[in-house]
Amino acid sequence: MKKIGILITLILSTFFRLNAEEGMLIPSLIKAFESDMQAMGMKLTADQIYSVNNSSLKDAILHFGGGCTAELVSSEGLLLTNHHCGYSQVQSHSSLENDYIKYGFWAKNKEQELKNPGLTAARIVRIDDVTISVLNGTEGLTGEAFEKRLKENMKVLENDAVTGNHYKAEIKAFNYGNDYYMVVKEVFTDIRLVGAPPSSVGKFGGDTDNWVWPRHTGDFSVFRIYAGKDNKPADFSADNKPYSPLHFFPVSVRNRVPGEFTMVYGFPGSTEQHLSSGHLEYIQNKERPARISMRDKSLAAINASMASSDLLRIKYASKQARIANGWKKWIGQIGGLQSVDAIQIKLDREKAFNDKAATKSEWKEKYGQLVEQMNALVAERKDDDFAYAMDVEYIFIGAEMFKRCRSINKLIGEYETLKELGELSDEIEKYKKGSKSFFKDYDNPTDRKMFTALTDEYKKQVVDFSFSKYLSTRTSEELAKDIYEGSVLTDETKFNEFLDNLDENSIEEFKKNDQAYLLWKELFDHFVTVVIPKSRDFDAQMNGMLKIYVAGKMEMFPDGKHWPDANSTMRISYGKMEGSAPHDGMQYLEHTTLDGLIAKNQTGKSDFDLLPRMKELAAKKDYGGYDQDGDLWVCFTSSNHTTGGNSGSPVIDAEGYLMGLNFDRSWESTMSDYMFDPNRCRNITVDIRYVLWIMDKYADAGHLVKEMTLIKGDSPYEANSGSCSEKEKKCKRKKRRCKQKCKK
Ligand code: ARG
Ligand code: GLU
């Protein structure tokens, strides 16, 4: 009852209306936001968005591979997600003869669709608030006893939920454990690849354009869910049938109108809106800059190698993309947080929190000291967190030689057991295979450059590295010489010889003398025994306080818009299609077109390379009717609060039709993981009309478009979208066929 009360007050509050676009809302609570969404133009009811008893939009949205979102667009299980989400599947089916990465792949019929072992797509059956049951019997318990009871309760609830059905259930903490929800899902395991555009479409703009607006990326790929005869999940079988969904999205090819309602419905991974001012200050001014500096070093080494030869460019392309994606996002985040002065905003909010707490003795006792304590904890313990971040960057993201050490450490640790079980030679064969694929994309001199530069940077950042005999007594060059010229781990031939002659003696010898292994062992042992426990303890203490802080915000500011941080569960964010003005004197429009894509190509930069077909179609302006007033829209922005994991999420219009696929945010808005600024935070979507055009005109896969339900005609917004004379003027200006009929 209390919760419902809070939600109702929410809707009535003005504060909430001003911040209509912030927040990632729990679908099962969406009723509380229905009227506000409708006030923004939405024509749907809460029940059409989320319902347990009837089919609803949620049934057409799947958690794809655990890290992305995908949506159903046909009665035969046709599934859309981003190109970068299906990338590893496309890559796994590619070879030099069939280079699907470069030229794309399109199954001409269902027989040609390709299976993907290990890939899953999960439909959410229901999301239940189980807070009371999870906390049952935990009153008065603390520490381990509390955790134990909590886990037992969860186990019972999860087991009950899946008894007698084929579902899976998982309980997750929300709001740092103020709430618990159980997510019941149906997990499909036969997901086949149907199509993917060439990288020159799906990854157009590459790293140059990543996190950047204006954008022209056709970031989509196409899959199909197959199910058993009973339409339930089944592992791959030739007898499986295309899945018949409870709901699939009709696709809107109507004209878009700036300001129209948009909703993003998907699986955002993680946000941290509640961090204290001191905590944010530490992240913004110390932790992130240090991680960026580490990656500057790796990227400098990798980029130089990639520029030096085609072979190295190919070898390091995906590693470079992985390192650069986070690096570029963080730079954008810091810029955004600085320009809105996020720390000052946090300080002001903390003051308001403290002032409010001072108004009631009960609040004063519960919440009066909290802000100060959180900031004190950061001041006292930030080094523990920092050590963790630096070790992750150095040992796990940095030089790949460390990765080899980790893997060989496992083998020699299991040597005796494997020998006893008679499984040694099989295991060695596996390692040989693994090493083949590792060394295929490895370059000793590049890794050495990375190692040397990162070692110096790591020492500079952590300052006290006395725990490491190696780092304290040797220079990075000395270490690099021993490691990259002497270790068996940095040379494929030596490594295979080592595997071929593996026995007790060679292992002893290796453990005593291999300089790569010895350095890694020293660092890794320190990481496991000292760094991890300390950083976990810091997190546990901080999360305990954040739990009370969030409870305090909800109790003392019932009129604020409260939403739980993203945690990879299904969420809804609503907003409108709009541009932004993130820099003084500059305005971003809300959409881009094929003309802009061609203009980027004409700069000659390799990230904007195109295959000839695109240039031919563009030159002919052969838009196949997917244009808007003579322009083919490629991407658009809207003010929906999104984060990593929202990739592939459907962007849905006022009537529940698919407008496009979310795939990125603009650079200026990546700060929204910490603080959402309605003036600048925009998500980036590839327009579904561009997706259809690529399928239909570019890839000759019109049979897929025929499978979908296309919504044509006038959008409900069009009547108000500017006067007739304005439209005519625009058409004349563009000297293009103008299909816009003027309605008086
Ligand atoms: N920035 C997007 C995301 O975080 C897209 C990443 C893939 N694209 C790229 N050029 N690396 O996942
Ligand atoms: N590209 C991101 C993803 O893979 C989405 C971008 C973002 O962080 O908003 O989920």
Side-chain angles (χ1 to χ4, degrees), residues 47 50-56 58-59 123 125-126 246:
D47 223 38
Y50 174 92
S51 166
V52 176
N53 304 317
N54 303 306
S55 71
S56 59
K58 88 162 163 56
D59 296 309
R123 180 182 76 88
V125 176
R126 53 176 214 268
L246 292 165

Side-chain angles (χ1 to χ4, degrees), residues 84 203 206-207 210-211 215 219 321 325 647 663-664:
H84 75 265
K203 240 191 130 184
D207 279 324
N210 193 24
W211 299 115
R215 192 65 161 278
D219 200 341
N325 195 37
S647 273
F663 70 95
D664 213 357

Side-chain angles (χ1 to χ4, degrees), residues 67-68 84-85 211 329 642-647 662-665:
C68 282
H84 75 265
C85 295
W211 299 115
K329 175 172 74 174
T642 57
T643 188
N646 268 127
S647 273
N662 178 74
F663 70 95
D664 213 357
R665 276 172 292 167

